[in-house]
């Protein structure tokens, strides 16, 4: 016990007493370091996931598409007055996704297929780039988002350290979709975050990665955000009775 330890210490020769006290202090210091380390680790693992902006512009690299410029305006419940939209600028060709309901909308291709403008159907809403992008009808059911700090990824040919956020969509205990999203904190950015890479996989397939560069979020409540929405209006050349894309 503590009383016996103190009694034994007082009966020790002076040199042994110094050694005993040194080792006791050293042991207590090590214990304190371990406690501090565990507390820091707990704080890191408890980091809340960020909320990505619903409006942004960025350069992207996507398999099968390549290096393009994109503008994004996501609306969860789109309508004719508030469509969910996205511009993709290819080399010599542009695409506008224009969703006006939960069932979908149209994709307009400008300068593609040797046509000034043509259209094709868009099934459902566009991809929601959000952490997480799964929404259950039961408000008590929460998506489990896992956090892993300091993950090294390759983005536009560069090695970058980022926060990893991952989750799965498993209705009926069957994995349908898997997601990994990589971000960095950014004090000057909308919502304090910058998106670097988005990966997803379906039904156990390999992960499909979209890389982001010069990603800039826009606040939809700002004057810039209000003006930004107007850039997704259907171009005049695509209005009226236009051809369906071949």
């Amino acid at each position: 016990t503590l009383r016996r330890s103190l009694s034994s210490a007082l009966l020790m020769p002076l040199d042994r007493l110094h050694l005993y006290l040194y080792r006791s202090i050293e042991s207590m210091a090590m214990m304190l370091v371990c406690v501090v380390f565990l507390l820091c680790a707990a704080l890191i693992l408890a980091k809340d996931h960020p909320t990505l902006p619903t409006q942004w512009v960025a350069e992207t690299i996507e398999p099968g598409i390549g290096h393009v410029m994109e503008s994004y305006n996501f609306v969860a419940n789109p309508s004719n007055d508030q469509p969910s939209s996205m511009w993709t600028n290819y080399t010599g060709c542009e695409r506008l996704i224009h969703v006006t309901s939960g069932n979908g909308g149209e994709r307009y291709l400008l300068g593609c297929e040797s046509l000034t403008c043509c259209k094709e159907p868009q099934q459902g809403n566009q991809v929601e780039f959000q952490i997480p992008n799964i929404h259950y009808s039961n408000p008590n059911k929460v998506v489990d988002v896992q956090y892993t700090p300091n993950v090294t990824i390759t983005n536009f040919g560069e090695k970058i350290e980022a926060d990893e956020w991952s989750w799965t969509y498993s209705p009926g205990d069957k994995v349908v979709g898997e997601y990994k999203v990589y971000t960095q904190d950014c004090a000057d950015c909308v919502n304090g975050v910058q998106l670097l890479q988005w990966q997803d996989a379906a039904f156990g397939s390999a992960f499909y990665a979209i890389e982001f560069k010069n990603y800039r979020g826009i606040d939809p409540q700002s004057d810039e955000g209000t003006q930004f929405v107007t850039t997704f209006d259907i171009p005049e050349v695509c209005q009226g009775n236009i051809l369906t894309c071949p």
Side-chain angles (χ1 to χ4, degrees):
T1 64
L2 178 60
R3 181 178 295 178
R4 288 182 180 178
S5 298
L6 289 173
S7 299
S8 299
L10 292 173
L11 295 174
M12 290 180 184
L14 190 59
D15 58 340
R16 289 185 61 193
L17 178 60
H18 286 169
L19 181 60
Y20 172 81
L21 292 174
Y22 173 79
R23 288 179 175 174
S24 297
I25 294 171
E26 184 180 45
S27 178
M28 291 175 65
M30 288 297 295
M31 290 177 63
L32 182 60
V33 168
C34 289
V35 169
V36 171
F37 175 79
L38 291 173
L39 287 173
C40 290
L43 288 173
I44 290 174
L45 294 175
K47 182 176 181 179
D48 291 334
H49 67 75
T51 298
L52 299 177
T54 56
Q55 295 180 344
W56 50 258
V57 293
E59 297 176 54
T60 65
I61 293 178
E62 186 172 350
I65 294 180
H67 184 182
V68 296
M69 296 292 298
E70 295 192 293
S71 302
Y72 180 80
N73 176 54
F74 182 81
V75 177
N77 298 299
S79 64
N80 287 322
D81 294 331
Q82 292 185 308
S84 185
S85 311
M86 185 175 192
W87 274 112
T88 301
N89 295 328
Y90 307 95
T91 301
C93 178
E94 295 179 289
R95 181 191 68 186
L96 171 64
I97 296 176
H98 186 84
V99 181
T100 53
S101 75
N103 295 324
E106 306 286 349
R107 294 183 176 211
Y108 297 95
L109 303 181
L110 291 84
C112 311
E113 308 292 347
S114 301
L115 296 172
T116 303
C117 184
C118 63
K119 66 180 180 179
E120 57 188 20
Q122 162 73 24
Q123 302 298 324
N125 205 343
Q126 61 175 323
V127 173
E128 182 181 9
F129 292 97
Q130 192 53 266
I131 305 172
N133 62 347
I134 299 167
H135 309 284
Y136 293 110
S137 57
N138 181 356
N140 296 320
K141 192 170 184 180
V142 179
V143 179
D144 182 21
V145 178
Q146 300 293 319
Y147 169 57
T148 307
N150 304 320
V151 175
T152 301
I153 61 171
T154 300
N155 218 53
F156 277 77
E158 296 183 12
K159 298 289 185 182
I160 302 175
E161 273 199 358
D163 291 330
E164 179 187 271
W165 311 94
S166 59
W167 65 96
T168 61
Y169 177 53
S170 307
D173 296 327
K174 181 179 180 180
V175 176
V176 173
E178 299 175 83
Y179 301 87
K180 294 180 181 179
V181 178
Y182 300 89
T183 65
Q184 284 182 337
D185 292 337
C186 174
D188 299 329
C189 298
V190 173
N191 296 351
V193 65
Q194 190 171 45
L195 176 61
L196 297 176
Q197 194 170 122
W198 178 281
Q199 296 186 14
D200 56 38
F203 300 100
S205 66
F207 276 90
Y208 178 93
I210 302 175
E211 302 172 28
F212 293 79
K213 184 179 180 181
N214 296 325
Y215 175 95
R216 186 175 70 85
I218 298 170
D219 181 358
Q221 304 303 318
S222 66
D223 290 341
E224 182 185 13
T226 301
Q227 179 61 34
F228 185 66
V229 170
T230 66
T231 66
F232 296 91
D233 291 344
I234 299 173
E236 186 175 349
V237 70
C238 295
Q239 297 179 22
N241 187 23
I242 64 170
L243 296 174
T244 298
C245 299

